[in-house]
Amino acid sequence: MENRYEAMQACPSGSFAYTIRSGDTFFLLARRFNTTVEAIMRINPGVDPNRLQIGQRICIPGVMPPPAPPCPNGFLYTIRSGDTLFRLSQQFGVSVDAIIRANPGIDPNRLQIGQRICIPSAVTPTPPCPNGFLYVVRSGDTLFRLSQQFGVSVDVIIRANPGVDPNNLQIGQIICIPTF
């Protein structure tokens, strides 16, 4: 993977080098690296923020973010304003502990906007479904909507999925939709 935060001797102390990629603007870079457009402009005199070129190297004030952790059994997620490990665990259906284990050295109380962390895949056993088909829960799904979509009662879906909380379906959760 390309290292976007290449070392560059021309950057002053307290900053790091960054290589411009497609879609980058000073505004987006300021948000990503928790700084301001003015600070980026100040540290890059002569760089026209309206004429950034892919591959151009600039300096970003602040500390270089740590490299993203390896994430073989999940996906990388970029921390946004308001994110907490608890919120992420709820959003992606994995425990806070699983997220911490997937990110050794992470400080759960000091997440940084722009920081990349590994969200491990929710490993849930596949339920048996001899008289139906398996369905992966998507955003907005409820048992009532699924019952209407597939023409089977909510009670039948509940009976086919013992242990599933009908009031707390998780995105990515696999359930059985009976067809009898």
Side-chain angles (χ1 to χ4, degrees):
M1 179 178 209
E2 175 190 46
N3 183 0
R4 295 181 292 149
Y5 313 110
E6 302 169 33
M8 184 172 134
Q9 290 180 333
C11 287
S13 177
S15 68
F16 61 93
Y18 176 83
T19 302
I20 298 295
R21 294 176 41 156
S22 178
D24 282 340
T25 66
F26 275 11
F27 176 75
L28 292 175
L29 293 172
R31 287 186 60 193
R32 184 181 312 154
F33 296 114
N34 201 24
T35 187
T36 65
V37 170
E38 293 76 21
I40 296 174
M41 291 175 69
R42 208 172 22 254
I43 202 167
N44 294 284
V47 173
D48 184 345
N50 298 312
R51 295 182 186 259
L52 297 177
Q53 300 292 314
I54 295 171
Q56 180 180 9
R57 294 171 79 172
I58 65 169
C59 297
I60 303 289
V63 178
M64 183 168 87
C71 196
N73 297 317
F75 62 94
L76 289 174
Y77 176 84
T78 303
I79 298 295
R80 292 180 261 193
S81 178
D83 281 341
T84 65
L85 291 187
F86 178 75
R87 280 189 187 161
L88 295 174
S89 76
Q90 297 296 300
Q91 181 177 348
F92 296 113
V94 297
S95 70
V96 170
D97 196 47
I99 297 173
I100 291 171
R101 280 194 312 272
N103 296 279
I106 190 173
D107 182 345
N109 299 313
R110 293 185 158 223
L111 298 179
Q112 300 292 316
I113 295 171
Q115 178 181 9
R116 295 180 70 193
I117 65 169
C118 178
I119 302 292
S121 296
V123 180
T124 55
T126 304
C129 195
N131 297 317
F133 61 94
L134 296 175
Y135 177 83
V136 179
V137 174
R138 293 181 275 204
S139 177
D141 281 344
T142 65
L143 290 187
F144 178 73
R145 282 188 184 160
L146 294 175
S147 74
Q148 289 184 319
Q149 181 178 346
F150 297 113
V152 62
S153 75
V154 171
D155 287 337
V156 169
I157 297 174
I158 290 172
R159 281 196 304 272
N161 295 280
V164 171
D165 181 350
N167 298 312
N168 191 23
L169 295 180
Q170 300 291 316
I171 296 170
Q173 182 176 21
I174 300 171
I175 62 172
C176 176
I177 304 292
T179 55
F180 57 101

